[in-house]
Amino acid sequence: GHYNTPGHINGRLVNFMVDTGAFSVAMNAAEADRIGLGWRNGERFMAGTAGGGTPGYKVMLNTVSIGNITLHNIMGAVIVADTDSDILLGMTFLEKTVMHEDNNALVLRQKY
């Protein structure tokens, strides 16, 4: 029941896993470093994960793109933990889209 898709953050190719339970677009530190985010300057917080609390950093993503949808200034999070390399496509992106299933595929359309 998971949906995965390629996309871009700040023009860099990434793999997303759609997660309506994630507050923001979230990734591990290794992925953030790979795509060149300056996450260590972000606001620190404690992230709640399946494994408990772990440090995280809030970051502003200039662009997040899936297919023909490109959104600007999306809040993201870098989780300082050994997590999967897929980036969670969370609600800071998804709330700006309309989602529906069609033939076992998740279709996103930009709201505005």
Side-chain angles (χ1 to χ4, degrees), residues 16-41:
F16 287 111
M17 181 176 74
V18 176
D19 187 348
T20 58
F23 171 74
S24 69
V25 175
M27 68 199 78
N28 65 32
E31 279 296 292
D33 287 341
R34 184 185 71 78
I35 63 175
L37 291 182
W39 61 271
R40 289 170 183 87
N41 298 325

mmCIF file of all heavy atoms in Angstrom, residues 16-41:
data_model
loop_
_atom_site.group_PDB
_atom_site.id
_atom_site.type_symbol
_atom_site.label_atom_id
_atom_site.label_comp_id
_atom_site.label_asym_id
_atom_site.label_seq_id
_atom_site.Cartn_x
_atom_site.Cartn_y
_atom_site.Cartn_z
ATOM 1 N N PHE A 16 10.870 9.610 -3.669
ATOM 2 C CA PHE A 16 9.904 9.922 -2.627
ATOM 3 C C PHE A 16 9.055 8.702 -2.301
ATOM 4 O O PHE A 16 8.735 7.905 -3.185
ATOM 5 C CB PHE A 16 8.929 11.018 -3.095
ATOM 6 C CG PHE A 16 9.506 12.388 -3.163
ATOM 7 C CD1 PHE A 16 9.704 13.002 -4.388
ATOM 8 C CD2 PHE A 16 9.819 13.103 -2.014
ATOM 9 C CE1 PHE A 16 10.207 14.288 -4.474
ATOM 10 C CE2 PHE A 16 10.321 14.389 -2.085
ATOM 11 C CZ PHE A 16 10.515 14.983 -3.320
ATOM 12 N N MET A 17 8.661 8.595 -1.039
ATOM 13 C CA MET A 17 7.600 7.698 -0.624
ATOM 14 C C MET A 17 6.492 8.581 -0.062
ATOM 15 O O MET A 17 6.745 9.391 0.858
ATOM 16 C CB MET A 17 8.054 6.710 0.447
ATOM 17 C CG MET A 17 6.927 5.761 0.849
ATOM 18 S SD MET A 17 7.418 4.487 2.022
ATOM 19 C CE MET A 17 7.541 5.463 3.506
ATOM 20 N N VAL A 18 5.292 8.481 -0.626
ATOM 21 C CA VAL A 18 4.170 9.297 -0.172
ATOM 22 C C VAL A 18 3.791 8.844 1.236
ATOM 23 O O VAL A 18 3.607 7.652 1.487
ATOM 24 C CB VAL A 18 2.970 9.154 -1.127
ATOM 25 C CG1 VAL A 18 1.769 9.930 -0.605
ATOM 26 C CG2 VAL A 18 3.346 9.628 -2.527
ATOM 27 N N ASP A 19 3.705 9.800 2.166
ATOM 28 C CA ASP A 19 3.395 9.485 3.558
ATOM 29 C C ASP A 19 2.485 10.566 4.126
ATOM 30 O O ASP A 19 2.950 11.616 4.566
ATOM 31 C CB ASP A 19 4.681 9.376 4.377
ATOM 32 C CG ASP A 19 4.435 8.883 5.791
ATOM 33 O OD1 ASP A 19 3.263 8.828 6.230
ATOM 34 O OD2 ASP A 19 5.423 8.561 6.467
ATOM 35 N N THR A 20 1.176 10.294 4.129
ATOM 36 C CA THR A 20 0.215 11.268 4.642
ATOM 37 C C THR A 20 0.323 11.421 6.157
ATOM 38 O O THR A 20 -0.226 12.355 6.720
ATOM 39 C CB THR A 20 -1.226 10.886 4.267
ATOM 40 O OG1 THR A 20 -1.506 9.580 4.786
ATOM 41 C CG2 THR A 20 -1.421 10.901 2.752
ATOM 42 N N GLY A 21 1.055 10.531 6.821
ATOM 43 C CA GLY A 21 1.270 10.638 8.259
ATOM 44 C C GLY A 21 2.484 11.468 8.629
ATOM 45 O O GLY A 21 2.713 11.750 9.799
ATOM 46 N N ALA A 22 3.259 11.866 7.631
ATOM 47 C CA ALA A 22 4.442 12.700 7.884
ATOM 48 C C ALA A 22 4.041 14.168 7.795
ATOM 49 O O ALA A 22 3.397 14.582 6.831
ATOM 50 C CB ALA A 22 5.547 12.391 6.881
ATOM 51 N N PHE A 23 4.450 14.936 8.785
ATOM 52 C CA PHE A 23 4.107 16.362 8.800
ATOM 53 C C PHE A 23 4.729 17.098 7.620
ATOM 54 O O PHE A 23 4.102 17.951 7.007
ATOM 55 C CB PHE A 23 4.567 17.003 10.110
ATOM 56 C CG PHE A 23 4.448 18.501 10.112
ATOM 57 C CD1 PHE A 23 3.206 19.102 10.230
ATOM 58 C CD2 PHE A 23 5.570 19.304 9.959
ATOM 59 C CE1 PHE A 23 3.085 20.483 10.207
ATOM 60 C CE2 PHE A 23 5.454 20.682 9.936
ATOM 61 C CZ PHE A 23 4.209 21.269 10.062
ATOM 62 N N SER A 24 5.988 16.770 7.284
ATOM 63 C CA SER A 24 6.692 17.527 6.254
ATOM 64 C C SER A 24 7.414 16.588 5.299
ATOM 65 O O SER A 24 7.383 15.374 5.464
ATOM 66 C CB SER A 24 7.701 18.489 6.891
ATOM 67 O OG SER A 24 8.756 17.761 7.482
ATOM 68 N N VAL A 25 8.052 17.167 4.320
ATOM 69 C CA VAL A 25 8.973 16.424 3.460
ATOM 70 C C VAL A 25 10.176 16.119 4.344
ATOM 71 O O VAL A 25 10.828 17.040 4.845
ATOM 72 C CB VAL A 25 9.376 17.258 2.229
ATOM 73 C CG1 VAL A 25 10.411 16.535 1.398
ATOM 74 C CG2 VAL A 25 8.142 17.602 1.398
ATOM 75 N N ALA A 26 10.450 14.838 4.589
ATOM 76 C CA ALA A 26 11.465 14.468 5.575
ATOM 77 C C ALA A 26 12.477 13.499 4.978
ATOM 78 O O ALA A 26 12.118 12.621 4.185
ATOM 79 C CB ALA A 26 10.802 13.848 6.803
ATOM 80 N N MET A 27 13.723 13.674 5.387
ATOM 81 C CA MET A 27 14.810 12.836 4.859
ATOM 82 C C MET A 27 15.865 12.638 5.917
ATOM 83 O O MET A 27 15.917 13.380 6.906
ATOM 84 C CB MET A 27 15.426 13.491 3.625
ATOM 85 C CG MET A 27 16.186 14.770 3.937
ATOM 86 S SD MET A 27 16.450 15.826 2.513
ATOM 87 C CE MET A 27 14.834 16.591 2.360
ATOM 88 N N ASN A 28 16.730 11.655 5.683
ATOM 89 C CA ASN A 28 17.849 11.454 6.600
ATOM 90 C C ASN A 28 18.991 12.409 6.232
ATOM 91 O O ASN A 28 18.983 13.042 5.183
ATOM 92 C CB ASN A 28 18.293 9.988 6.635
ATOM 93 C CG ASN A 28 18.855 9.491 5.329
ATOM 94 O OD1 ASN A 28 19.464 10.228 4.561
ATOM 95 N ND2 ASN A 28 18.673 8.207 5.060
ATOM 96 N N ALA A 29 19.973 12.494 7.114
ATOM 97 C CA ALA A 29 21.086 13.434 6.931
ATOM 98 C C ALA A 29 21.916 13.093 5.702
ATOM 99 O O ALA A 29 22.393 13.995 5.004
ATOM 100 C CB ALA A 29 21.958 13.464 8.181
ATOM 101 N N ALA A 30 22.087 11.801 5.406
ATOM 102 C CA ALA A 30 22.879 11.403 4.237
ATOM 103 C C ALA A 30 22.234 11.894 2.942
ATOM 104 O O ALA A 30 22.930 12.396 2.050
ATOM 105 C CB ALA A 30 23.064 9.887 4.200
ATOM 106 N N GLU A 31 20.916 11.776 2.827
ATOM 107 C CA GLU A 31 20.218 12.277 1.635
ATOM 108 C C GLU A 31 20.300 13.800 1.569
ATOM 109 O O GLU A 31 20.489 14.364 0.495
ATOM 110 C CB GLU A 31 18.751 11.824 1.620
ATOM 111 C CG GLU A 31 18.561 10.423 1.115
ATOM 112 C CD GLU A 31 18.974 10.276 -0.328
ATOM 113 O OE1 GLU A 31 18.317 10.832 -1.228
ATOM 114 O OE2 GLU A 31 19.987 9.590 -0.573
ATOM 115 N N ALA A 32 20.150 14.466 2.709
ATOM 116 C CA ALA A 32 20.247 15.928 2.731
ATOM 117 C C ALA A 32 21.628 16.382 2.266
ATOM 118 O O ALA A 32 21.747 17.336 1.488
ATOM 119 C CB ALA A 32 19.949 16.452 4.129
ATOM 120 N N ASP A 33 22.669 15.691 2.710
ATOM 121 C CA ASP A 33 24.025 16.022 2.266
ATOM 122 C C ASP A 33 24.184 15.757 0.775
ATOM 123 O O ASP A 33 24.787 16.558 0.056
ATOM 124 C CB ASP A 33 25.063 15.215 3.053
ATOM 125 C CG ASP A 33 25.233 15.695 4.489
ATOM 126 O OD1 ASP A 33 24.846 16.846 4.786
ATOM 127 O OD2 ASP A 33 25.740 14.898 5.301
ATOM 128 N N ARG A 34 23.627 14.632 0.295
ATOM 129 C CA ARG A 34 23.756 14.269 -1.128
ATOM 130 C C ARG A 34 23.160 15.335 -2.040
ATOM 131 O O ARG A 34 23.709 15.630 -3.097
ATOM 132 C CB ARG A 34 23.078 12.913 -1.390
ATOM 133 C CG ARG A 34 23.250 12.424 -2.822
ATOM 134 C CD ARG A 34 22.474 11.144 -3.089
ATOM 135 N NE ARG A 34 21.033 11.350 -3.125
ATOM 136 C CZ ARG A 34 20.364 11.865 -4.158
ATOM 137 N NH1 ARG A 34 20.995 12.249 -5.256
ATOM 138 N NH2 ARG A 34 19.049 12.002 -4.112
ATOM 139 N N ILE A 35 22.039 15.932 -1.614
ATOM 140 C CA ILE A 35 21.392 16.925 -2.481
ATOM 141 C C ILE A 35 21.821 18.355 -2.142
ATOM 142 O O ILE A 35 21.304 19.313 -2.709
ATOM 143 C CB ILE A 35 19.855 16.788 -2.487
ATOM 144 C CG1 ILE A 35 19.250 17.056 -1.108
ATOM 145 C CG2 ILE A 35 19.452 15.419 -3.014
ATOM 146 C CD1 ILE A 35 17.733 17.060 -1.100
ATOM 147 N N GLY A 36 22.764 18.501 -1.213
ATOM 148 C CA GLY A 36 23.362 19.803 -0.953
ATOM 149 C C GLY A 36 22.582 20.744 -0.065
ATOM 150 O O GLY A 36 22.731 21.962 -0.180
ATOM 151 N N LEU A 37 21.766 20.208 0.847
ATOM 152 C CA LEU A 37 21.035 21.083 1.765
ATOM 153 C C LEU A 37 21.947 21.537 2.898
ATOM 154 O O LEU A 37 22.686 20.739 3.469
ATOM 155 C CB LEU A 37 19.839 20.345 2.375
ATOM 156 C CG LEU A 37 18.688 20.006 1.451
ATOM 157 C CD1 LEU A 37 17.572 19.330 2.243
ATOM 158 C CD2 LEU A 37 18.155 21.237 0.750
ATOM 159 N N GLY A 38 21.863 22.783 3.249
ATOM 160 C CA GLY A 38 22.606 23.307 4.396
ATOM 161 C C GLY A 38 21.811 23.119 5.671
ATOM 162 O O GLY A 38 21.502 24.082 6.357
ATOM 163 N N TRP A 39 21.479 21.885 5.986
ATOM 164 C CA TRP A 39 20.555 21.570 7.078
ATOM 165 C C TRP A 39 21.109 21.849 8.467
ATOM 166 O O TRP A 39 20.339 22.085 9.396
ATOM 167 C CB TRP A 39 20.084 20.126 6.970
ATOM 168 C CG TRP A 39 21.167 19.095 7.056
ATOM 169 C CD1 TRP A 39 21.892 18.586 6.012
ATOM 170 C CD2 TRP A 39 21.640 18.435 8.223
ATOM 171 N NE1 TRP A 39 22.790 17.655 6.463
ATOM 172 C CE2 TRP A 39 22.646 17.536 7.822
ATOM 173 C CE3 TRP A 39 21.318 18.507 9.576
ATOM 174 C CZ2 TRP A 39 23.336 16.730 8.722
ATOM 175 C CZ3 TRP A 39 21.992 17.705 10.464
ATOM 176 C CH2 TRP A 39 22.987 16.821 10.038
ATOM 177 N N ARG A 40 22.405 21.834 8.635
ATOM 178 C CA ARG A 40 22.991 22.032 9.970
ATOM 179 C C ARG A 40 22.724 23.444 10.508
ATOM 180 O O ARG A 40 22.874 23.689 11.701
ATOM 181 C CB ARG A 40 24.477 21.728 9.937
ATOM 182 C CG ARG A 40 24.762 20.246 9.766
ATOM 183 C CD ARG A 40 26.227 19.958 9.483
ATOM 184 N NE ARG A 40 26.468 18.549 9.246
ATOM 185 C CZ ARG A 40 26.367 17.941 8.076
ATOM 186 N NH1 ARG A 40 25.997 18.634 7.009
ATOM 187 N NH2 ARG A 40 26.608 16.655 7.957
ATOM 188 N N ASN A 41 22.324 24.361 9.635
ATOM 189 C CA ASN A 41 21.971 25.716 10.049
ATOM 190 C C ASN A 41 20.488 25.857 10.377
ATOM 191 O O ASN A 41 20.039 26.930 10.767
ATOM 192 C CB ASN A 41 22.330 26.720 8.948
ATOM 193 C CG ASN A 41 23.813 26.739 8.660
ATOM 194 O OD1 ASN A 41 24.626 26.579 9.555
ATOM 195 N ND2 ASN A 41 24.164 26.907 7.396
#
